[in-house]
Every structure is written in C-alpha cells, then in structure tokens.
Amino acid sequence: MYKIMTAGPTQVRENVRMARSLETTNPDLDLEFYDFYKQTCDDLKGLLHSSGSAYILGGEGILGLEAACASLTEPGDRVLVIDNGIFGKGFADFVTLYGGQPVLYTCDYKRPVDCGKLREFLEEDSDFKYATLVHCDTPSGVLNDVKALGCLLDEFHILSVVDSVAGMFGEYLNVDESRIDILCGGSQKALSAPPGLTLLWVSDRAIEAMENRSTPIASFYANILTFKNYYKDKWFPYTMPISDIQGLAAAVDNVKADQEIFRRHEKIAAATRQAVTEAGLSLYLKSGYSNTVTVVQVPEGVTDEAILSIMRDKYQVMISGCFDILAGKVIRIGHMGENANIPDMAQTLDAMDKTLQELGVPLKCRMKDRFLELLS
Ligand SMILES: *Cc1c(COP(=O)(O)O)cnc(C)c1O
C-alpha cells in the first residue's frame, strides 16, 4: 500500500471506510433516508455558512462544474470565465457545450486574480449572465480570494459559479458572505471521503435564474433543478448512492469535530513551503499559495517521472505530477484533509529528500528535518 499524498484523492479515515460498509436501505423508498440525506446537506450548509440549498449528487466532482453550467447557461448567454489556472480555463468548455458564449478573462497563472484589475475590466463590460472562477486551482495551487471576487461580481449583478473542490475544508470559506451562487465541491479532496460524490451549494437567486429560463435545461443528470423538491416530494431524480453518502456523512462529522482544521492546514502548508524553498527547490507560484497543496518546479536535469516513480516504488509515497500546460513541469504534494498531519508530511519529505539525493539534485538542507524543526 502506498502513502497517498496526492493532490486528491486523499487518505481516508477508518471511520469513513466503516460507514461505507454499514447496512443499507432502499434510498428511493425509505423515508428515513430522506431525513438522513437532508441532515447531511444541512451540516454541509452549516460548515460553509450558506443560507441557500445544498445537494449531494452521485458523480465525481467534475459533475458539479458541468451541472452548474448546464443549469444556468442558455444558448447565446455571455459567460465570464475567470482564468488564472487550468480548471479556471476549463469552465469555457462546459459553457460552450451548453450553447453559451464564454468570454475568457485570462491573467497571470502564477498569482491570484487581481480584483482591482477585474473591476476595471467589468467597468467596461459587465454584460454577463454569470461568471466562473476557481478557489484553489489545484494544478498550480493558486488560491483566489473568492470573497472579494464574489462580492465584486455581485456588485455588477453577475451570478457566480465557484469551484472550491480543492479549497473547501482546507481554506476558510463563507458562501453567504462571498455572495456565491453555485459552489461546487467534491468528496475526495479536503473532506477526505473516497471519490464519487459532488456537493453543491445553491443560492435562491441561482434557483430563480434556472426557473426563469426561456429554454429547458439541456440535461437530465446535470440538471440541478431536479433536486429542488426532493424532500417535499420524497423523490430523487435517480437512486442515491447510499453507501457513498453514509461515508460522506462520517467525513462531514470528522470535519465538524475538528476545531483546528484551518490552523492545521496553514501550519503544515507554511512549513512545507519553507522547507522546500530552503532546500533550494522552487515553488511554481509567485504568490497566493493554497494551504491544501504545494506545487514545486521539477529541478533542472531530472524529470517528474523519475522523482514520482522512485518515491512511489522505493519509498511507497505517492505524490502527483501534473497535466495540460504544466505536464512534466511540476510535482505536487497534497496536504489537504487527512493528509494534513505532521508524521505523513515528514515521511513524504523524507522520501523526497532521499529521492532527489539519489537523482543527484543538490539540496541545501534535509526538507524533513527542516519541516520538523519549523513545527516543533
Ligand atoms: C479535483 C478537482 C476537481 C474534480 O475533478 P475530478 O477529476 O472529478 O477529481 C475539480 N476542480 C478542481 C479545482 C479540482 O482540484
């Protein structure tokens, strides 16, 4: 078994795995399941400070991104796609798929979006039905200020769709204060349940926008409105994956019980970044580091594959490479959720120290020792 220190999925705690093996009922017919589902959604609303609705959808995190675009986009709609990362840009594909007209607002991939500059752009052109943005764009690890951006979009009467799949529960997030209309999350990042579920937080005005469409939503599975009356009607659009949701509920309880969750992510991430840079390696970003993932440039003279395979095969620690424009350029350590703990990070940095040494990459200090010193 490998130590899974990737940028998601993360390690999964035993109580979550056990909850997934509990006896199951028929989730379509058993009214107790509707109460259990609703309670879990209410807990999710409470954790992220949302007064709107929350839903759990059967399908990987990507489903939420598509469902948001499918449910809001009408043919011809102009949609602002805020792009300072690979997931940010990717929203344009979903907008196009549902007949919308994406307008890319592209900025530096090595820094968070500059709100002042976006304001200047919006003063010239703000005729957008909604905008998409990413909280933590995992391939680079850049963290955008969703509260400032959400409030700015709100000021210009633009609805907001926010992907915080890799930010939520590792970084503080307040849905109401950030004026977010559709927030997308997944089970397998900082929440630390296995992959398979999408989480959505939906504002009343987003529901209104969906109900006031002049064309029908061009999807069934990705239609958020089909969930709206599930509790009143005791009806789901498809059979809910009950074991996955039982596991998720246990993961939600773990997060609720963890008073130190943000502080822990912050400390581990800061020590990781400092240890890595003091050793002489370079971070990909110039600013705006998310506390859920650290993204390190592949040192000169070696390949990502060489580092990843030695760490995996010789030291049993799995970290992530990257894809798209960052393929081969960076390696990523996921310290989100269950991964955000000192012993696992020390083991990871130890494996990285030894691997880089074997590959002939000179390091100015041992990252593991430095990491432990910084946290002692
Ligand atoms: C992981 C992730 C998703 C979901 O992608 P999956 O392929 O379903 O895991 C979406 N957005 C971001 C920013 C992510 O990190």
Side-chain angles (χ1 to χ4, degrees):
M1 275 303 283
Y2 300 115
K3 173 71 63 186
I4 303 300
M5 298 299 286
T6 49
T10 63
Q11 301 178 68
V12 176
R13 203 184 293 183
E14 187 180 20
N15 68 348
V16 174
R17 290 190 281 111
M18 298 306 276
R20 287 164 58 86
S21 69
L22 294 174
E23 212 173 318
T24 53
T25 181
N26 181 326
D28 291 328
L29 302 179
D30 191 332
L31 296 185
E32 274 181 31
F33 179 78
Y34 287 87
D35 285 318
F36 169 70
Y37 178 98
K38 183 172 183 300
Q39 182 59 53
T40 310
C41 291
D42 287 345
D43 287 347
L44 289 168
K45 279 176 36 164
L47 282 171
L48 296 191
H49 317 283
S50 157
S51 57
S53 310
Y55 306 113
I56 303 161
L57 277 55
E60 240 307 295
I62 286 291
L63 172 63
L65 281 52
E66 176 157 358
C69 294
S71 301
L72 286 178
T73 314
E74 290 198 72
D77 279 344
R78 292 179 86 231
V79 177
L80 181 65
V81 174
I82 299 175
D83 161 32
N84 69 326
I86 293 169
F87 278 98
K89 185 176 190 182
F91 265 114
D93 295 340
F94 291 124
V95 172
T96 305
L97 212 50
Y98 290 94
Q101 195 189 324
V103 175
L104 282 170
Y105 176 81
T106 301
C107 32
D108 191 348
Y109 271 36
K110 295 196 170 209
R111 298 175 197 280
V113 174
D114 181 328
C115 271
K117 287 194 181 138
L118 180 60
R119 174 183 291 280
E120 284 169 24
F121 173 88
L122 291 172
E123 276 162 2
E124 296 295 314
D125 182 7
S126 61
D127 180 23
F128 301 104
K129 173 150 183 201
Y130 69 96
T132 62
L133 65 128
V134 180
H135 189 195
C136 165
D137 209 306
T138 336
S140 68
V142 72
L143 186 79
N144 286 314
D145 183 347
V146 283
K147 184 176 169 193
L149 292 166
C151 292
L152 178 62
L153 292 165
D154 184 43
E155 221 183 283
F156 286 87
H157 309 290
I158 302 167
L159 297 174
S160 57
V161 169
V162 176
D163 168 358
S164 182
V165 175
M168 60 176 63
F169 308 119
E171 292 281 351
Y172 178 79
L173 184 57
N174 185 313
V175 173
D176 284 353
E177 273 179 21
S178 309
R179 307 291 289 150
I180 298 170
D181 291 294
I182 302 183
L183 177 72
C184 308
S187 51
Q188 86 283 26
K189 301 283 167 81
L191 199 48
S192 295
L197 295 176
T198 280
L199 319 173
L200 287 176
W201 289 253
V202 187
S203 73
D204 292 344
R205 49 183 197 178
I207 299 270
E208 218 173 285
M210 293 173 209
E211 287 178 329
N212 290 336
R213 293 170 56 115
S214 52
T215 56
I217 293 171
S219 175
F220 179 76
Y221 208 79
N223 178 345
I224 296 172
L225 274 186
T226 57
F227 278 83
K228 186 187 163 202
N229 294 323
Y230 80 86
Y231 192 72
K232 179 160 73 70
D233 297 347
K234 302 293 182 278
W235 183 85
F236 286 112
Y238 46 86
T239 304
M240 287 292 111
I242 179 168
S243 297
D244 289 352
I245 295 172
Q246 287 177 166
L248 183 88
V252 168
D253 286 343
N254 289 344
V255 169
K256 270 168 69 180
D258 190 346
Q259 299 302 316
E260 282 286 295
I261 194 160
F262 299 121
R263 184 81 197 104
R264 191 159 48 80
H265 279 82
E266 196 183 315
K267 274 169 35 187
I268 298 260
T272 302
R273 290 191 293 264
Q274 196 172 334
V276 163
T277 47
E278 282 184 23
L281 301 176
S282 304
L283 300 174
Y284 173 73
L285 293 171
K286 295 196 178 106
S287 62
Y289 309 97
S290 171
N291 289 324
T292 53
V293 59
T294 292
V295 181
V296 181
Q297 290 183 28
V298 174
E300 295 270 327
V302 292
T303 63
D304 60 335
E305 191 42 44
I307 300 169
L308 299 178
S309 61
I310 296 174
M311 284 184 70
R312 184 183 64 227
D313 300 339
K314 192 160 174 190
Y315 300 106
Q316 282 74 52
V317 176
M318 200 183 265
I319 63 169
S320 302
C322 210
F323 51 92
D324 201 90
I325 59 160
L326 288 178
K329 298 203 168 106
V330 296
I331 52 174
R332 301 180 294 154
I333 306 167
H335 36 69
M336 56 181 87
E338 289 295 307
N339 292 9
N341 70 81
I342 294 174
D344 286 343
M345 273 308 301
Q347 186 185 338
T348 303
L349 292 172
D350 187 43
M352 208 159 134
D353 280 321
K354 290 173 176 158
T355 299
L356 292 174
Q357 191 174 24
E358 281 169 44
L359 289 169
V361 177
L363 294 178
K364 292 182 189 144
C365 64
R366 280 182 49 85
M367 294 184 281
K368 175 198 168 190
D369 295 344
R370 199 59 198 111
F371 173 80
L372 289 173
E373 267 166 40
L374 286 163
L375 289 170
S376 66

